[in-house]
Amino acid sequence: MKDPSAFRREAVEKLRKEVPGRAIVAASGGIDSTLAALLAQEALGDRSDALFVDTGLLRAGEVESVRGFYREAGLQFEILDGADRFLGALQDVADPEEKRRRIGREFIRLFEAEAERRGAEVLIQGTIAPDWIESGGQLRDTIKTHHNVGGIPSDVKLRIVEPLRDLYKDEVRALAHHLGVASPDRQPFPGPGLAVRVNGPVSRELLEIERTANRIVEEEIERAFGARQIPRPWQYFAVLLPVRTVGVTGDNRIYGHAVSVRAVESIDAMTATSMELPHELLRTLAERITRALPGKVTRVLYDITDKPPATIEWE
Ligand code: XMP
């Protein structure tokens, strides 16, 4: 990339040429789409609407933290409630790639409806080079279909514009710095959200169990690493497994769910190493998760598999 200020100038000019009318921006709360939205805001002013979708598949507290991050970045935005639509589309779907396809389709259908309502013809996305490379656009076989690329149905009615399409992560960081946007203090999170962390079919009830377990993993790991003043793992989360397992409380035999905890080190998510966590911390996780979800989670496991052969997410 040229220097970030030249990139910004050219990207803004190009956006003005490419978008004569109105546009909407798919804002996910991550740094890439935030920068795309800021460039669109600079190029198009109030002809561009940044839309953040609450899919019902987000983590605990996520809407609030995204709201704070956008305010800090100076981005005008709206939050759309899409939970019923997404959960409806995912009903009884177990296959991970089919989940991604359906989520991709719902995003696009929702954006098409919003664009029509607002008189927009263009959808601006924060896709960067590794997104389409990993989605089978070039070089690699399709590993997992990223929802913002592979999941787009071929009959999409909107013209897609991707101002960051040729940038790599280090260039994104340089651009963020140039635009005065602090990288959000958050770990990478998959576009399909908690849908790929509830293994198998997703329901509101299972998502709620997953959300609670995931919140506890985030809290405990952040506390433990913060206290020792060492950098947090690349990613750390809970996965709700599609198995039932027997447990006891007092005299009662319960048949609950199993949760797997994952914490990995990585540089670029292409490979990853399962972290060695103190046993004390793992015990705390098992205790807190089972206590917070009595009768629902009866077993907590720790995933010690590297990538490869596993992937970071379970689905
Ligand atoms: P895997 O599980 O393939 O994940 O090792 C590599 C990185 O990508 C994230 N991930 C996704 N991100 N849409 C996304 O935007 C997806 O469908 C998706 N699947 C995985 C994952 O969290 C990790 O950081």
Side-chain angles (χ1 to χ4, degrees), residues 205-248:
E205 191 206 344
L206 294 177
L207 278 167
E208 208 35 60
I209 297 173
E210 160 59 18
R211 189 173 286 119
T212 300
N214 194 69
R215 172 178 56 76
I216 293 169
V217 171
E218 290 192 352
E219 282 172 5
E220 289 299 332
I221 291 202
E222 283 164 17
R223 192 194 338 249
F225 281 70
R228 290 196 287 156
Q229 296 193 322
I230 47 176
R232 294 180 302 207
W234 167 270
Q235 275 179 274
Y236 42 101
F237 54 88
V239 178
L240 183 61
L241 304 183
V243 290
R244 303 302 287 266
T245 165
V246 174
V248 283

Side-chain angles (χ1 to χ4, degrees), residues 98-115:
E98 183 58 22
K99 285 184 186 176
R100 286 185 171 81
R101 271 192 295 277
R102 292 199 185 203
I103 290 167
R105 196 158 62 212
E106 286 314 308
F107 265 112
I108 286 294
R109 297 284 105 97
L110 178 68
F111 287 136
E112 282 174 344
E114 284 299 320

